Amino acid sequence: MPVIAVVGGQWGDEGKGKVVDFLAERVNMVVRFSGGDNAGHTVINPFGKFKLHLIPSGIFYPDVTCIIANGVVVNPVVLTKEIDDLNKRGIDTSRLFISDRANLVMPYHILLDGLEEEARGGGALGTTRRGIGPAFTDKVARLGIRAGELLNRETLKQRLGFVLDYKNRILTRVYGVEPVGLDELYQQCCRWGEGLTGHLRDTSAMLDEAVSNGDTILLEGAQGALLDPDFGTYPYTSSSSSLAGNGCIGAGIGPAKIDKVVGIFKAYNTRVGAGPMPTELKDKTGDLIRERAQEFGTTTGRPRRCGWFDAVAARYSQVVNGLTGAVITRLDILDAFDKIKICVGYKLDGKTINYFPADAAALYRCQPIYEEVAGWQTPTSHITGYDELPSRLKDYVSRLEGLIDCPVHLACVGPERSQAVIKTPIF
Ligand code: IMP
């Protein structure tokens, strides 16, 4: 049975949560492997409408084991709240496991995220201010506190004291703000440890056992390829790798064990936060997409920047992820348009290019070269069979399939689980 990585193909918010929710019916395990609570997805299913930041959407299926793996940075406050909220609404969370190797997002990370953004002034990245960048920085600086450490109170106090001593010097001397108190934070950590103890595990070992048993496993990424710190629009990126390759390290599984890599793309493009976005529409068309799709961040509520589908970026995303298939979401948003544009190249400094430049400054100068196709101008949200979709919509999907250069599995026409129309089965 396959191990399938599900990753964002654009700048995040492509609808990974919805796709995982749809696929999870057929799987045994869902493993979230990157990012933190900067991610957020809204899932609408027979149990209601849920906003999740950390817990994989597989949690709604009683037989699916859900893992938050070592590659995720975990804010215990957010996680505890999500667990409590789900439990209150009758969703069982006893099958949720968190890697004891996952680094924690601490209150001082959130503080520093805000202070660093303020210090950047006009060069601010527009982070979600959830402390994600500072937490990943501490992970590689070996100053992180890992989830498993919450269970060993003696060493926890020692490590916390060492780390806080360093952090407090930065907070007070660089930023001139109040230090974080050790005792209070230590007590808080002990409470988090008590609350999470039943969920903490060596999740890589669980994954290994599931692979040996022949289970079907989804590796769920966060954000999207264009926010990847290596391949995204650096420095306007997030701080953990959003690519399928990080599914191995972030979940603790060997590369040869991943059978399929499915990239999720919206039928148009959105971006939240600063940084280049060649197809951004700062006009009525962009506003119309935003209004129709309610493109406002799940985590921050910020309006998302909207634009036409960027096939140069999408093809690049296919290459750096090694996509074996794609899903196109939110096609119903385009129901209203008589003409739809697809960016098939860029004009950069007078030259036509068909690659995604590494340099953010160059990307800012890229002018999209568009191909225009006729819209289908008919409602599609009720359609459940691929053959019943309007022929122009199918032409659009086929064109994207050719440009991205991998088969499209699903064409999504609404936010609900049932509104995913199968073109080519994934399983
Ligand atoms: P950070 O991940 O909070 O440090 O933010 C860095 C950049 O990534 C900002 O532009 C954020 O808006 C963006 N970002 C982070 N997480 C997401 C996400 O889940 N969806 C879309 N953008 C995100």
Side-chain angles (χ1 to χ4, degrees), residues 92-402:
D92 173 27
T93 54
S94 61
R95 296 155 292 102
L96 172 70
F97 299 99
I98 297 119
S99 169
D100 49 10
R101 292 182 169 86
N103 272 247
L104 299 177
V105 178
M106 288 290 187
Y108 50 80
H109 291 134
I110 298 166
L111 205 57
L112 283 165
D113 200 355
L115 292 165
E116 287 169 10
E117 275 290 84
E118 301 299 330
R120 287 184 191 112
L125 305 175
T127 74
T128 58
R129 299 192 179 216
R130 296 291 185 118
I132 308 303
F136 276 113
T137 304
D138 274 1
K139 176 177 176 175
V140 289
R142 287 143 300 174
L143 286 170
I145 305 287
R146 307 209 294 185
E149 292 185 75
L150 295 176
L151 304 184
N152 188 340
R153 293 192 174 189
E154 236 166 76
T155 53
L156 172 68
K157 190 149 199 185
Q158 235 174 22
R159 287 258 300 128
L160 212 50
F162 174 78
V163 171
L164 264 192
D165 185 43
Y166 179 81
K167 293 286 155 192
N168 278 338
R169 272 185 278 165
I170 296 174
L171 287 171
T172 56
R173 295 186 200 174
V174 176
Y175 293 108
V177 299
E178 289 295 309
V180 173
L182 173 61
D183 280 337
E184 200 186 319
L185 185 56
Y186 171 70
Q187 296 304 334
Q188 216 173 3
C189 285
C190 293
R191 285 195 295 276
W192 292 333
E194 277 164 24
L196 295 176
T197 181
H199 295 281
L200 294 176
R201 288 280 194 293
D202 178 347
T203 55
S204 170
M206 291 176 71
L207 187 52
D208 183 53
E209 196 182 321
V211 171
S212 304
N213 289 342
D215 286 352
T216 301
I217 298 161
L218 290 184
L219 303 179
E220 178 182 348
Q223 287 86 44
L226 308 176
L227 285 172
D228 181 82
D230 283 88
F231 290 95
T233 51
Y234 192 85
Y236 302 99
T237 63
S238 194
S239 42
S240 68
S241 175
S242 30
L243 301 183
N246 191 34
C248 300
I249 297 159
I253 186 173
K257 303 242 165 81
I258 298 182
D259 301 286
K260 294 180 185 181
V261 180
V262 178
I264 317 301
F265 296 86
K266 270 183 198 165
Y268 48 90
N269 268 82
T270 63
R271 170 164 208 169
V272 59
M277 175 182 174
T279 63
E280 181 173 12
L281 294 167
K282 293 180 181 166
D283 60 11
K284 281 192 179 148
T285 308
D287 293 344
L288 183 59
I289 296 176
R290 185 177 310 103
E291 275 156 34
R292 279 185 59 80
Q294 282 303 294
E295 290 289 359
F296 298 92
T298 315
T299 303
T300 58
R302 289 179 288 180
R304 294 183 185 136
R305 299 155 64 191
C306 299
W308 296 119
F309 189 88
D310 185 339
V312 179
R315 155 98 194 156
Y316 169 74
S317 168
Q318 185 271 107
V319 171
V320 292
N321 272 304
L323 299 184
T324 58
V327 170
I328 311 293
T329 62
R330 314 223 68 180
L331 281 153
D332 53 305
I333 301 305
L334 301 183
D335 289 355
F337 293 85
D338 59 341
K339 297 260 185 284
I340 298 169
K341 291 184 184 179
I342 308 170
C343 168
V344 293
Y346 301 138
K347 201 95 181 162
L348 175 62
D349 303 333
K351 286 195 190 121
T352 300
I353 60 167
N354 61 2
Y355 62 86
F356 194 76
D359 180 15
L363 263 170
Y364 268 120
R365 297 198 305 280
C366 281
Q367 296 299 317
I369 300 171
Y370 286 121
E371 178 179 295
E372 195 173 84
V373 298
W376 44 95
Q377 290 192 283
T378 176
T380 53
S381 292
H382 60 287
I383 298 176
T384 52
Y386 197 77
D387 289 343
E388 285 93 69
L389 288 167
S391 60
R392 283 179 179 166
L393 184 150
K394 286 187 282 188
D395 291 346
Y396 182 65
V397 170
S398 297
R399 184 65 184 132
L400 298 193
E401 190 167 54

Side-chain angles (χ1 to χ4, degrees), residues 12-23:
D13 309 317
E14 300 90 351
K16 292 176 291 294
K18 177 209 156 77
V19 174
V20 168
D21 182 57
F22 173 81
L23 296 176

